[in-house]
Amino acid sequence: MAKITPFKAVRPTRDKVSLVASRSYQSYTQAQREARLDNNPFSFLHIVNPGYKYAREITGVERYTLVKNRYLEFKEENIFIQDETPSFYMYKIVDRDKQVFHGIVAAASAEDYENNIIKKHEDTIEYKEIVFKDYLKTVGFNTEPVLLTYPDNKTINSIFNKMENERAEYEFTTTFRDTHYLWKIDDKETIKTIQDEFQNMETIYIADGHHRTSSSYLLSKDLKEKNSEHNGTEAYNYFMTFLIPESELKIHEFNRLVKDLNGLTKEEFLIKLDASFKIENRGIIPYKPTQKHHFSMYLDGEFYSLSLRKVNHSFSNSLDALDAQLLYNTILQPILGIEDLRNDTRINYLNGKKDIINLKSNIDNGDFAVGFGMVPVTIEEMKQLADDGLKMPPKSTYIEPKLRSGVTIYEF
């Protein structure tokens, strides 16, 4: 049974939310970050990049402390206020393509993560978990909800429909032309209804945010061990999440780019591919695959379609049948010599939201020798892997929606 709980969010005032809200720090170019920091004193980027105030790069524990200081300044200046009553928050995004996402911002149980009620499908890197755990411990808040997904639920959907008839607490449009809405849910009966529906769910799944989830779990363990009066109700026993129905989750693929052909000529490389794939030269016409076990390839100014010769392949589990793993098993590792998908500098990843021409451009400019495109993972594949206790290769999914930082903040 999945346990979620309301919390007293720290939030921007209504008049400043559009100024505060920001994308993730890494998604901006340096020029974009500097423009926002120069021209917008309310941007959440001032909190996560506190060294900008001193015109120097600050890292490690010193940075964490300054992040906390900037955050406290935002609270002291009443840019941020904290709700007086524990609440859920209904969040809606309508993107520029008119895709609509609805969900609930809530606190989920770290114990549910430990007990595999909250299931994962992707490996994490230990040092990243520890770094983010130490960051959270120092700053004392989290502003990036983990994206969780659950089976579509008529009762919860009816609450969404009802809330949409009321005035939103927030409504703002970003420069990406996505419109964001937030409603506060503080009615006790509605809160209980939502909690009851989730308690009837045996499992929910991490869609995006495996490292954040793991770090929050490690933090809860640390603080629990140090608290002699621990009773299970403390805020550190939970972490902030955005729970979205499975039907609204948008999963894009990650395409692969490789810097060289591992010492092979183009002809030698194609001959090696022929052992596992039927190869068709598509010329200069962009090609994007439309079914599992088919890949697109861009090499030396031309597109190719690669379709798996199934007579030579059998799949022993759900991971082997995953296209990202299949590409690794048949091409990346045995032919191109890439062993470590996380750390090998010869491989890079391009999310599938960017079109196939973007992949072509990265190769035409000489940065890479060959690129591979694939179809997106389905929600059914993602859940099956999690149920089987298996983990996808890194960068197997690029998942939407992406929430803005600084809209709801969870303190512990």
Side-chain angles (χ1 to χ4, degrees):
M1 297 187 296
K3 182 180 181 181
I4 66 167
T5 188
F7 67 101
K8 298 178 182 178
V10 175
R11 303 186 286 116
T13 55
R14 189 199 299 263
D15 63 312
K16 294 185 177 65
V17 63
S18 63
L19 298 170
V20 171
S22 72
R23 305 198 310 271
S24 65
Y25 184 79
Q26 294 81 5
S27 69
Y28 294 97
T29 65
Q30 182 175 345
Q32 289 172 334
R33 282 196 295 267
E34 290 178 356
R36 283 158 175 78
L37 290 164
D38 283 342
N39 300 306
N40 180 4
F42 302 109
S43 173
F44 194 77
L45 293 176
H46 284 285
I47 293 176
V48 294
N49 186 18
Y52 187 78
K53 182 177 181 179
Y54 303 104
R56 71 183 184 92
E57 188 75 20
I58 300 174
T59 59
V61 175
E62 184 181 18
R63 174 179 169 264
Y64 304 165
T65 301
L66 289 177
V67 166
K68 184 175 184 178
N69 291 346
R70 294 292 86 73
Y71 173 67
L72 293 175
E73 287 173 5
F74 270 49
K75 291 183 72 175
E76 290 164 1
E77 294 169 3
N78 292 321
I79 299 168
F80 286 143
I81 56 173
Q82 186 166 26
D83 287 326
E84 296 181 357
T85 57
S87 305
F88 289 135
Y89 303 87
M90 175 183 155
Y91 204 112
K92 174 183 174 183
I93 302 171
V94 181
D95 71 14
R96 64 189 304 167
D97 299 320
K98 305 305 179 185
Q99 173 88 32
V100 180
F101 306 97
H102 298 85
I104 297 172
V105 178
S109 168
E111 188 176 35
D112 281 357
Y113 176 76
E114 179 181 29
N115 294 332
N116 211 32
I117 293 171
I118 297 175
K119 290 192 173 184
K120 46 195 170 291
H121 65 264
E122 199 171 276
D123 266 333
T124 53
I125 301 172
E126 185 177 7
Y127 85 87
K128 287 188 175 182
E129 297 172 342
I130 294 172
V131 166
F132 193 59
K133 179 202 71 173
D134 292 342
Y135 169 82
L136 292 174
K137 184 182 290 187
T138 301
V139 302
F141 68 88
N142 190 7
T143 187
E144 294 186 20
V146 172
L147 185 63
L148 301 181
T149 189
Y150 62 90
D152 284 46
N153 182 285
K154 290 182 179 179
T155 300
I156 296 175
N157 285 343
S158 69
I159 293 173
F160 290 164
N161 293 334
K162 180 181 177 182
M163 295 300 298
E164 285 186 287
N165 291 323
E166 301 176 10
R167 183 191 180 195
E169 180 78 9
Y170 296 152
E171 179 180 351
F172 64 95
T173 300
T174 71
T175 53
F176 272 23
R177 298 184 182 178
D178 301 333
T179 302
H180 295 241
Y181 305 82
L182 180 139
W183 291 263
K184 180 180 175 183
I185 304 174
D186 56 4
D187 174 71
K188 291 183 179 179
E189 184 176 339
T190 306
I191 287 173
K192 184 178 185 307
T193 298
I194 293 171
Q195 288 181 303
D196 288 346
E197 291 302 315
F198 278 97
Q199 284 183 343
N200 289 330
M201 299 178 192
E202 290 186 7
T203 56
I204 52 180
Y205 296 82
I206 300 173
D208 189 29
H210 286 77
H211 283 94
R212 280 171 280 150
T213 308
S214 182
S215 298
S216 296
Y217 166 66
L218 292 175
L219 177 65
S220 73
K221 284 183 63 178
D222 277 6
L223 296 181
K224 177 181 177 180
E225 291 169 0
K226 293 177 181 178
N227 183 2
S228 60
E229 298 181 0
H230 171 86
N231 60 29
T233 63
E234 297 87 355
Y236 60 70
N237 293 294
Y238 299 86
F239 57 97
M240 186 167 62
T241 63
F242 181 47
L243 296 129
I244 182 171
E246 291 174 2
S247 64
E248 293 188 14
L249 203 64
K250 181 66 175 176
I251 306 177
H252 300 276
E253 72 278 12
F254 261 104
N255 298 321
R256 273 65 172 143
L257 297 163
V258 182
K259 288 184 180 293
D260 58 68
L261 298 182
N262 197 27
L264 300 170
T265 66
K266 172 184 172 181
E267 290 73 23
E268 290 169 337
F269 177 59
L270 289 172
I271 289 171
K272 286 184 176 293
L273 287 182
D274 194 78
S276 296
F277 296 93
K278 177 184 176 182
I279 305 170
E280 183 178 349
N281 188 323
R282 302 276 181 150
I284 63 172
I285 308 269
Y287 170 73
K288 188 175 176 68
T290 58
Q291 57 182 300
K292 276 179 64 64
H293 309 332
H294 285 222
F295 303 91
S296 63
M297 181 176 73
Y298 185 71
L299 173 68
D300 193 27
E302 295 178 308
F303 286 94
Y304 296 80
S305 61
L306 309 179
S307 55
L308 183 69
R309 297 186 189 278
K310 296 181 181 179
V311 67
N312 296 332
H313 289 272
S314 60
F315 306 115
S316 59
N317 56 47
S318 55
L319 178 60
D320 285 345
L322 190 75
D323 280 350
Q325 185 68 25
L326 178 64
L327 186 70
Y328 175 75
N329 289 341
T330 57
I331 301 176
L332 298 180
Q333 192 270 339
I335 299 177
L336 294 177
I338 293 172
E339 300 287 345
D340 186 349
L341 290 171
R342 290 188 179 276
N343 299 307
D344 195 316
T345 57
R346 293 172 56 228
I347 189 168
N348 209 335
Y349 303 91
L350 191 67
N351 78 66
K353 193 173 182 182
K354 298 178 179 178
D355 62 32
I356 202 72
I357 300 303
N358 200 292
L359 180 144
K360 175 182 182 296
S361 299
N362 275 271
I363 295 167
D364 287 345
N365 66 19
D367 291 339
F368 299 92
V370 62
F372 301 95
M374 62 191 80
V375 298
V377 172
T378 65
I379 183 67
E380 290 76 21
E381 287 180 296
M382 191 177 79
K383 289 172 64 177
Q384 188 63 58
L385 278 157
D387 291 343
D388 294 344
L390 300 170
K391 306 294 187 300
M392 292 183 184
K395 299 294 186 182
S396 291
T397 57
Y398 178 83
I399 297 180
E400 293 182 303
K402 303 291 186 186
L403 270 68
R404 295 276 162 150
S405 295
V407 179
T408 57
I409 298 171
Y410 182 76
E411 292 188 340
F412 40 82

